[in-house]
Amino acid sequence: MEAYRAYTTVLKNGEIVITGAPFKKGQKVEMIVLPQDESGEKKFLTGKELAESEFIGIWKDKKIGDSAGFARKLRERAQNRNNQ
């Protein structure tokens, strides 16, 4: 399943209009609507935005021998930080 993302502005209370979606008449879809924060800024980066951000290569000068093991440890710490 591939997600489709659209941005729009609510013009009438309780009504959201999306045009140009790649779906056919009669096709069933699930919609999840997430309001943007008051500043109008997106909370998440797209893959392209992330690749072009300052985060890529941030650890390039660190001495990490086993990068897969290091990443695994980071994930484990992140997953368990609320369980402590």
Side-chain angles (χ1 to χ4, degrees), residues 18-54:
I18 301 173
T19 58
F23 306 112
K24 296 185 176 21
K25 182 179 179 178
Q27 182 178 359
K28 296 191 183 298
V29 299
E30 175 183 6
M31 290 180 56
I32 300 172
V33 179
L34 304 171
Q36 290 184 333
D37 64 5
E38 292 300 316
S39 69
E41 295 179 21
K42 294 185 295 183
K43 292 184 179 181
F44 303 101
L45 298 177
T46 65
K48 181 179 179 186
E49 290 168 335
L50 180 60
E52 294 171 350
S53 74
E54 71 276 6

Side-chain angles (χ1 to χ4, degrees), residues 47-79:
K48 181 179 179 186
E49 290 168 335
L50 180 60
E52 294 171 350
S53 74
E54 71 276 6
F55 296 113
I56 300 301
I58 197 168
W59 291 1
K60 68 182 176 186
D61 297 326
K62 304 289 182 195
K63 300 203 184 300
I64 301 171
D66 177 14
S67 59
F70 184 77
R72 186 172 34 261
K73 286 179 186 176
L74 286 177
R75 282 192 300 274
E76 288 171 0
R77 282 195 345 215
Q79 290 172 352

